[in-house]
Amino acid sequence: MKTDIQIAQEAILKPIQEVAKTIGIAEEDLEYYGRYKAKLGDEVWKKVKDNPDGKLVLVTAINPTPAGEGKTTVTVGLGQAMGQLGKKAVVALREPSLGPCMGMKGGATGGGYAQVAPMEEINLHFTGDIHAITAAHNLLSAMIDNHLQQGNLLNIDPRQIVWPRVMDMNDRALRNIVVGLGGKAHGVPREDGFIISVASEIMAILCLAQDIQDLKERIGRIIIGYTYEGQPITAKDLQAHGAMTALLKDALKPNLIQTLENTPVIMHGGPFANIAHGCNSLQGTQMALKLGDIVITEAGFGADLGAEKFFDIKCRMGNLQPDAVVIVATIRALKYNGGVAKDQLSTENLKALAEGFCNLEKHIQNVQKFNLPVIVTLNAFTTDTQAEMDYVQKRCEQLGCTFAKAEVWAKGGEGGLELAKKVLHVLDTKPPHFQPLYDIEDSISDKLHTIATEIYGAKNVVLTAKAQKDLQQIQKLGLENVPICVAKTQYSLSDQPQLLGCPKDFTITVRELRISAGAGFIVAITGNIMIMPGLPKKPAATEIDINKDGQIIGLF
C-alpha cells in the first residue's frame, strides 16, 4: 500500500496559474512561491469583493481518538467530489504546524487520494507564514526585555509580564525558563517560557484581521504585562506594533494551492483548536466565498472545540453565515468511545457501537443548537460491516440528519460523490437560520456556563482562585463583552481526556483566564492543557529523511 507522500509525489499537478484561472484569478495577480503555490494579495480582493458569496459548508467531527477520523481528508475529498460534479468549489484550510508534523499528530494535508499538494512543502515551510508569526512575536519579546534593560521608563513589573516567547516546534524543556542571566550586560533576570508559535496571539490576530490596518491596530492592543501599579502595557506602548506588522505584510495574504485533483484550495493561518480558535483565516474564507459557488472549510478537532469557536468567534467577528455542517465520524472511533481497545476495533461490535454513538449524538445536537442542517458522514474503513453502517445511518436519520458514506481516502473525489450530492441537496432544500450560542453582552461567567453546560454537557463551571483574580482584572479593564475561547482537551467533551463517550454530571474547572485583547477574545484555560507540547517517545521526525536525489521521504 502506498504512503500518503508516495501518492502525493506521483500526482500530476497543474501550474498554479491554471488553477487560479478556474476561479477567475488573473495570472498577474498571483505572487508566486514556486510552480504550485502562490499568494493572493489586495488586487485579487479588490476585483472580487463585490461578488455574491458562495455557500459555506463547515466540516467538523466527533472527538478525536487514536483510531483516527480523517476530517481534513473528508474536507479535501468533498471538494474534489464537488469538482467532479461540475461545481465551482473552493476548499479553505488551515496551515500545518511543524510541531505536530515532527511530533505525533502528523501533517494537515489530508490523506490517501484526498490530499492538498505539494504535500511535503506545505507540511514543512510552506510560504513562511508561521515563520513570520514567530519572528513578529519574538520581536515583541526582545523589545520587552530590552525596555527593562534600558531603564524601564514604562515601569513594567518583570513579575507581571504575560508575553512569552515562541517557536514552531514541540519542546517541553522550554516551557519554563529564566532569561537575563550572566550579569548586568545581559539583561534583567526574570522567569519566562516558550509556547508553540501557533498558540501565539499573533496567529489568532492574523486569522481574524480584515486588512493590514486592522492587523496593526490589533497588534497594538496586545497586553504584554502590567506596571507595578497594575496598569496594562501594550505592544503600542512599546512602539513595537509597526515593525511587527511589517514582518507580517506577506503572511497576511492568503495562499492558493490545489488538491490532487486540481481543485482550488485557499490555505491560510493555523491556530490550534484546543488552545486557540482553530480555524483558517477570516480573509481566506471571505476570499474563497467570493471566488467559489461552494466553499468547504473545516474547524479543528471535534465540534465541541473547533465548530463552537468557528460559530461563536469567527462567524461573529466576520459576519459569516454558514449554510450546512458535515460531521465526520468513523465506526472505529465510535466503538473506541464505546470502550473497545484500539487493537480490537476491526471486529464487529454492535453493542460497543451503540454505547459509543452517544458521542456523535451529542455533537449532532450541539450543531443543531446553532440552527444549521447537519450531514453525518462515515469515513469508511475496510473493516466496517454493513450492520454497523446501517446502525449508524438509522440513528442519524432518527436525529434529523442526512447520512452519507465517504470513501475519499481510497478513491479521491469519486469516493465523495454520495456525500457531495447529499450536501448539495441539503443546501437546496434546508435553509439555515444560523445564530451564535450566546449573547456577546453576557457576563464572562454566563458565557462560560452556557458553553460548558450546552456544548460539553457539564453540570457546572468552577473558577480557581487564580481564575477569579483574572476575572476581576478583566472586569476592571472593561473587557468582558468579547467571545470566550475555551482551551480544553480535544479527546473528551469534558476537561478530562479519559472521559470518553458522552460523560455526565462533571464539572469544568477553569484554571485561569487570559486576555487576548488584540485577537478580541478571552481564553479560558481548563484541565492540563499545554501551550507548548512535548515530543512523544518516538517522534515522527525519526522517520523523515531525504534521499540522494533531494526527494523527501517518510513524511507520512
Side-chain angles (χ1 to χ4, degrees):
M1 184 178 294
K2 294 178 181 178
T3 64
D4 288 350
I5 192 169
Q6 287 172 330
I7 293 170
Q9 289 173 341
E10 291 173 2
I12 300 174
L13 301 182
K14 291 182 178 179
I16 198 62
Q17 63 268 29
E18 293 184 22
V19 177
K21 187 178 180 180
T22 66
I23 48 175
I25 300 174
E27 183 174 354
E28 61 265 23
D29 292 331
L30 298 175
E31 298 179 17
Y32 291 101
Y33 281 69
R35 295 188 66 196
Y36 306 114
K37 308 186 298 290
K39 279 194 169 287
L40 306 177
D42 292 340
E43 291 307 311
V44 177
W45 178 248
K46 289 175 184 176
K47 291 179 179 180
V48 305
K49 65 180 182 178
D50 295 325
N51 291 355
D53 283 348
K55 298 285 188 179
L56 181 58
V57 178
L58 175 70
V59 179
T60 184
I62 62 174
N63 291 100
T65 70
E69 285 66 59
K71 175 161 49 64
T72 303
T73 302
V74 171
T75 303
V76 174
L78 177 56
Q80 293 179 158
M82 289 291 184
Q84 289 196 17
L85 292 173
K87 301 299 180 182
K88 189 180 178 183
V90 179
V91 179
L93 296 175
R94 295 177 295 163
E95 301 180 36
S97 163
L98 279 176
C101 183
M102 297 294 176
M104 179 172 62
K105 183 174 178 289
T109 56
Y113 290 90
Q115 298 186 57
V116 293
M119 180 262 231
E120 60 270 50
E121 294 178 27
I122 294 167
N123 275 313
L124 297 181
H125 299 286
F126 198 24
T127 56
D129 293 345
I130 297 180
H131 297 319
I133 288 166
T134 302
H137 183 114
N138 287 335
L139 169 62
L140 181 55
S141 298
M143 290 184 71
I144 292 167
D145 284 298
N146 183 62
H147 187 86
L148 297 178
Q149 174 75 356
Q150 303 297 343
N152 195 9
L153 295 180
L154 292 173
N155 202 33
I156 300 171
D157 183 351
R159 300 163 300 178
Q160 295 192 73
I161 293 172
V162 296
W163 190 253
R165 287 168 157 82
V166 299
M167 65 181 297
D168 191 31
M169 195 59 63
N170 296 359
D171 193 346
R172 63 173 59 82
L174 294 177
R175 288 172 185 161
N176 300 285
I177 63 171
V178 177
V179 298
L181 299 179
K184 184 177 181 180
H186 302 287
V188 176
R190 66 179 184 89
E191 291 186 41
D192 200 357
F194 276 78
I195 63 175
I196 194 165
S197 296
V198 286
S200 167
E201 187 180 349
I202 302 292
M203 174 62 87
I205 288 172
L206 184 92
C207 288
L208 294 170
Q210 295 281 1
D211 52 39
I212 195 74
Q213 187 59 37
D214 186 32
L215 179 69
K216 181 179 176 180
E217 290 173 1
R218 286 173 176 272
I219 289 174
R221 294 198 294 267
I222 291 171
I223 294 174
I224 63 93
Y226 299 87
T227 66
Y228 285 101
E229 295 76 31
Q231 295 301 308
I233 298 295
T234 66
K236 187 175 182 179
D237 292 331
L238 286 163
Q239 300 178 24
H241 59 311
M244 293 167 68
T245 306
L247 287 172
L248 296 167
K249 178 178 74 71
D250 292 327
L252 184 62
K253 301 170 185 175
N255 307 293
L256 180 67
I257 52 172
Q258 63 190 291
T259 72
L260 300 187
E261 297 180 15
N262 314 119
T263 307
V265 178
I266 292 179
M267 177 176 270
H268 192 222
F272 272 12
N274 57 346
I275 50 184
H277 65 289
C279 309
N280 70 305
S281 76
L282 184 56
Q283 276 200 340
T285 302
Q286 289 173 330
M287 191 170 287
L289 286 167
K290 299 298 183 182
L291 293 167
D293 295 331
I294 299 172
V295 174
I296 302 151
T297 190
E298 69 167 352
F301 293 130
D304 56 320
L305 287 171
E308 185 274 319
K309 295 170 185 179
F310 177 84
F311 298 139
D312 283 323
I313 298 177
K314 181 176 177 178
C315 290
R316 193 193 301 266
M317 290 189 182
N319 195 29
L320 299 177
Q321 299 294 318
D323 294 282
V325 178
V326 175
I327 300 179
V328 180
T330 66
I331 296 290
R332 294 164 58 84
L334 292 174
K335 288 190 290 191
Y336 185 85
N337 271 286
V340 176
K342 186 179 178 182
D343 60 357
Q344 298 295 315
L345 294 174
S346 297
T347 303
E348 181 178 280
N349 190 330
L350 290 171
K351 182 176 183 293
L353 181 62
E355 291 178 358
F357 184 86
C358 66
N359 187 266
L360 173 57
E361 181 177 13
K362 177 59 175 165
H363 288 297
I364 291 170
Q365 293 169 343
N366 285 347
V367 172
Q368 290 173 335
K369 289 176 182 177
F370 294 91
N371 292 330
L372 292 168
V374 176
I375 304 100
V376 171
T377 187
L378 275 181
N379 189 14
F381 283 73
T382 56
T383 55
D384 299 344
T385 69
Q386 191 62 48
E388 289 173 328
M389 289 186 287
D390 288 346
Y391 175 83
V392 175
Q393 179 172 356
K394 181 180 178 181
R395 290 289 305 273
C396 288
E397 290 173 349
Q398 288 173 345
L399 291 167
C401 296
T402 301
F403 176 87
K405 181 180 175 183
E407 299 178 276
V408 295
W409 186 91
K411 299 180 181 179
E414 181 185 350
L417 289 175
E418 178 188 342
L419 173 60
K421 290 174 183 176
K422 298 230 174 139
V423 169
L424 290 172
H425 179 73
V426 167
L427 292 175
D428 288 339
T429 61
K430 295 185 178 181
H433 302 283
F434 170 69
Q435 65 178 28
L437 185 69
Y438 53 79
D439 191 321
I440 200 70
E441 302 297 325
D442 291 346
S443 69
I444 286 178
S445 296
D446 285 347
K447 284 180 279 200
L448 279 170
H449 184 266
T450 298
I451 295 170
T453 57
E454 293 287 321
I455 301 299
Y456 309 151
K459 64 178 179 180
N460 60 1
V461 180
V462 172
L463 273 64
T464 65
K466 169 73 167 65
Q468 291 176 21
K469 185 178 179 181
D470 294 337
L471 179 57
Q472 292 173 359
Q473 176 76 344
I474 292 165
Q475 293 169 333
K476 178 182 174 183
L477 297 174
L479 295 175
E480 269 202 294
N481 295 333
V482 296
I484 300 294
C485 182
V486 179
K488 180 184 76 69
T489 179
Q490 65 268 34
Y491 299 115
S492 171
L493 285 159
S494 74
D495 57 359
Q496 303 166 60
Q498 72 276 12
L499 296 182
L500 303 179
C502 188
K504 307 289 184 183
D505 297 326
F506 60 91
T507 296
I508 292 284
T509 301
V510 178
R511 291 193 288 113
E512 60 179 302
L513 296 168
R514 296 182 181 175
I515 301 171
S516 290
F521 53 68
I522 301 297
V523 180
I525 308 290
T526 72
N528 294 316
I529 285 296
M530 288 289 181
I531 49 180
M532 169 52 86
L535 292 170
K537 188 170 184 178
K538 184 175 176 58
T542 61
E543 301 295 327
I544 299 171
D545 204 350
I546 188 166
N547 64 23
K548 60 182 177 61
D549 298 319
Q551 187 178 52
I552 293 171
I553 55 177
L555 190 64
F556 324 118

